[in-house]
Amino acid sequence: MSTHINAKDGDIAESVLLPGDPLRAKFIAEHFLQNPVCYNEVRGMYGFTGTYKGQKVSVQGTGMGQPSLSIYVNELFRFYNVQKAIRVGTCGAVRRDIALRDVLLAQGACSDSALNTYRFEGMHYAPIADFSLLNTAWTRAKEMGLNAKAGLCVSSDNFYDDKEKWKLWAEYGALGIEMEAAELYTLAAKFSRKALAILTVSDHILLGGETSAEERQTSFTDMITLALDTITGCN
């Protein structure tokens, strides 16, 4: 029985977008979905279901960080038969060839989190995206004219990185730092589901600079269109 999502059977679609911010979930539902219905308000973590280009789609807030996302994704997979999940969020870039507002498709997700250390008892698991979703997103991003890059992201538990560990991640090819994708990919593998993280670069950790609120809004809407087209197979 679900503890944190107060939805009935059939309320949630098999395809779900996962923003961290519940207010972004509300924004997506109100601006991108037709006839959205709110199915969850527990702890203020909004969830909505509507249609996109005739297909049923849900959007569920997950909160910040892997432990919070883990709660909601576990319940979506275990109790509501969600088959495809795309995280839509922001990240900080750590390479010179990546610019603000670029879209990153997380092919794989490194992490400094203890979740998989505990889960795999010291063994090292490599969380990766579903290839079919990744390939669809890559193709659609090019059709939309977006400056998209695919590669490694890092899901860190530490938002304020005083030790600047991002420099080591960057040395080994990471594109950006975020906080949730590794757990999403791990749970998708466990439950044999499909998952992808699509990220908009909102700030540049290496070069400095960040997008304005208005710029983030514009970039965010491009990313949401890409995610919805990807998860429904529409263009």
Side-chain angles (χ1 to χ4, degrees):
M1 181 178 178
S2 178
T3 302
H4 301 87
I5 300 175
N6 186 25
K8 300 174 184 176
D9 290 344
D11 283 352
I12 302 176
E14 292 187 358
S15 299
V16 181
L17 299 193
L18 302 172
D21 186 347
L23 293 181
R24 281 187 175 175
K26 188 173 185 288
F27 175 87
I28 294 169
E30 292 176 347
H31 291 83
F32 290 87
L33 302 184
Q34 288 76 51
N35 302 314
V37 175
C38 181
Y39 62 76
N40 189 65
E41 294 181 329
V42 177
R43 294 176 179 257
M45 199 61 69
Y46 294 119
F48 299 85
T49 296
T51 59
Y52 178 78
K53 296 182 179 179
Q55 296 194 42
K56 188 176 178 181
V57 177
S58 296
V59 54
Q60 173 64 55
T62 64
M64 290 187 290
Q66 294 181 78
S68 182
L69 174 137
S70 187
I71 291 171
Y72 293 97
V73 171
N74 259 292
E75 294 185 12
L76 289 170
F77 287 167
R78 287 174 183 267
F79 306 120
Y80 296 104
N81 196 39
V82 169
Q83 298 296 313
K84 294 185 289 185
I86 295 182
R87 163 164 157 67
V88 284
T90 57
C91 68
V94 294
R95 285 181 24 175
R96 293 182 182 276
D97 60 342
I98 298 173
L100 295 177
R101 295 175 292 279
D102 280 357
V103 172
L104 303 186
L105 307 178
Q107 185 176 2
C110 307
S111 183
D112 58 16
S113 175
L115 280 172
N116 274 352
T117 301
Y118 173 79
R119 182 179 280 129
F120 292 98
E121 299 181 343
M123 297 184 291
H124 300 282
Y125 180 73
I128 60 172
D130 173 74
F131 180 77
S132 62
L133 288 178
L134 177 64
N135 188 50
T136 299
W138 177 259
T139 301
R140 184 66 184 126
K142 294 305 180 183
E143 292 172 349
M144 292 173 64
L146 301 180
N147 192 12
K149 294 179 174 64
L152 282 174
C153 76
V154 177
S155 302
S156 178
D157 280 352
N158 190 7
F159 185 85
Y160 296 105
D161 180 11
D162 296 331
K163 295 184 178 180
E164 297 189 324
K165 289 292 184 69
W166 62 266
K167 293 180 179 178
L168 183 60
W169 292 118
E171 182 180 345
Y172 283 82
L175 304 180
I177 313 293
E178 55 90 67
M179 300 185 74
E180 288 87 18
E183 179 67 1
L184 172 61
Y185 290 179
T186 301
L187 291 174
K190 177 182 179 180
F191 291 99
S192 299
R193 310 299 164 88
K194 297 180 178 182
L196 176 65
I198 302 178
L199 309 166
T200 297
V201 176
S202 60
D203 60 283
H204 211 296
I205 300 173
L206 174 61
L207 301 178
E210 59 184 16
T211 54
S212 67
E214 182 178 355
E215 288 172 325
R216 284 195 296 272
Q217 186 75 354
T218 301
S219 300
F220 180 71
T221 56
D222 287 340
M223 174 180 61
I224 295 306
T225 298
L226 173 61
L228 285 166
D229 285 350
T230 297
I231 207 165
T232 61
C234 296
N235 55 34

